[in-house]
Amino acid sequence: MHPAVIIIIKRTAFQIAMQAAELFAETAVEAVKKSGQFSVAVSGGDTPRLFFHLLTKNPFHSRIPWEKTDIFWVDERCVPVNHPASNFGTARVGFLDLLPLPKQRIHPMPGELMPEQGAQVYEKELICFFELKNGNLPAFDLIFLGMGKDGHTASIFPGQPSLDEKNKLVLPVMGGEPNVDRLTLTLPVLNNAGKVVFIVTALSKERTIRKVLAGDPCDLPAVKVNPVHGELIWMITGDPALLGDA
Ligand code: 6PG
């Protein structure tokens, strides 16, 4: 496990969502002060919904320099945007549609394209946005991840080749629930961020969380998220007693 991992355990999802919104606001202000912009990548799934909602409300909404914020996704299901499984589609309503974000600062993954083509298009978008040369990696200021009971994160699933990808920034994969074609950022990109934050509701995932935080030398994708230069933070909704000395 990352030597400087920060673990925050709270009993309610609201407390964790507040922590996540505070970190988002704090990091955004810091990033804009330092570099004039803030780049963040978010996950799909259910857990981030409450956190997204809080970002549309004060005290967070007014603190965040939205006009200098660029939002990306860590993964996307290859379905039409109006499909209920679309991460971007579900983020539009009650989150993106309430933010004063210029359209060009919202960077959905092209889930409507054929997966291979979509991966290439998004990879090109990252190269252009981060002005990458000679195989450099994008350096997001902040990445929010979830984790499945099987230890997957983004759309990097156990036992898949994506676990060992060293060069590509975005891959077409298949799996998860729903078991569909997907696009995912790769581990080199996740591990090059300034801050990587897992937001996980322990319920039914306690065993996996304990394994990951204990740094079990296993092949769970979430164990392989160890930012090279950045901070790793786990925000967990659950009972500290159940999570052992996590
Ligand atoms: C996805 C997500 C995925 C998610 C986990 C946890 O597109 O499915 O990015 O990695 O974060 O599956 O999902 P929940 O938050 O719904 O538990």
Side-chain angles (χ1 to χ4, degrees):
M1 177 46 69
H2 192 278
V5 60
I6 297 168
I7 299 171
I8 300 168
I9 303 175
K10 297 286 184 192
R11 287 189 181 281
T12 70
F14 179 77
Q15 288 171 311
I16 285 295
M18 288 289 282
Q19 293 267 347
E22 176 56 34
L23 183 74
F24 186 106
E26 201 180 273
T27 308
V29 168
E30 254 168 46
V32 168
K33 208 180 286 173
K34 193 169 137 216
S35 68
Q37 68 177 27
F38 169 51
S39 57
V40 58
V42 296
S43 282
D46 299 330
T47 308
R49 289 172 194 264
L50 180 52
F51 153 52
F52 289 164
H53 172 71
L54 291 175
L55 292 177
T56 68
K57 304 277 183 208
N58 285 331
F60 307 109
H61 185 274
S62 55
R63 276 173 57 196
I64 296 164
W66 294 111
E67 71 291 349
K68 296 198 169 69
T69 296
D70 283 89
I71 296 188
F72 295 79
W73 273 259
V74 302
D75 67 348
E76 184 55 276
R77 292 79 177 274
C78 295
V79 294
V81 170
N82 57 4
H83 188 288
S86 168
N87 288 338
F88 172 62
T90 44
R92 273 191 312 185
V93 181
F95 176 43
L96 298 175
D97 58 355
L98 300 176
L99 301 180
L101 263 177
K103 198 170 172 334
Q104 66 274 19
R105 288 189 180 274
I106 300 175
H107 307 264
M109 288 185 161
E112 69 286 357
L113 299 178
M114 291 304 290
E116 288 69 19
Q117 188 194 2
Q120 287 166 13
V121 165
Y122 209 64
E123 179 144 338
K124 285 200 178 85
E125 182 163 355
L126 292 174
I127 290 171
C128 175
F129 178 82
F130 287 98
E131 298 172 351
L132 300 179
K133 292 186 178 50
N134 320 321
N136 288 340
L137 291 165
F140 284 99
D141 295 303
L142 181 57
I143 293 182
F144 284 99
L145 294 174
M147 185 189 74
K149 194 174 174 181
D150 62 355
H152 83 260
T153 190
S155 282
I156 304 171
F157 296 99
Q160 291 199 0
S162 55
L163 262 177
D164 303 312
E165 177 58 47
K166 297 280 184 290
N167 303 305
K168 288 285 194 201
L169 308 181
V170 186
L171 282 178
V173 297
M174 182 162 194
E177 181 47 52
N179 184 15
V180 293
D181 283 312
R182 295 157 173 254
L183 302 176
T184 187
L185 295 186
T186 58
L187 282 165
V189 177
L190 303 182
N191 285 329
N192 199 49
K195 280 180 199 165
V196 178
V197 186
F198 278 94
I199 310 179
V200 185
T201 301
L203 201 63
S204 86
K205 299 176 184 176
E206 286 90 348
R207 267 172 50 85
T208 312
I209 290 173
R210 273 203 301 274
K211 275 180 88 168
V212 174
L213 295 185
D216 267 8
C218 58
D219 244 1
L220 294 180
V223 172
K224 292 177 170 275
V225 176
N226 279 302
V228 179
H229 312 291
E231 278 179 69
L232 177 61
I233 302 166
W234 276 76
M235 295 187 176
I236 303 167
T237 304
D239 176 350
L242 282 180
L243 291 164
D245 51 3

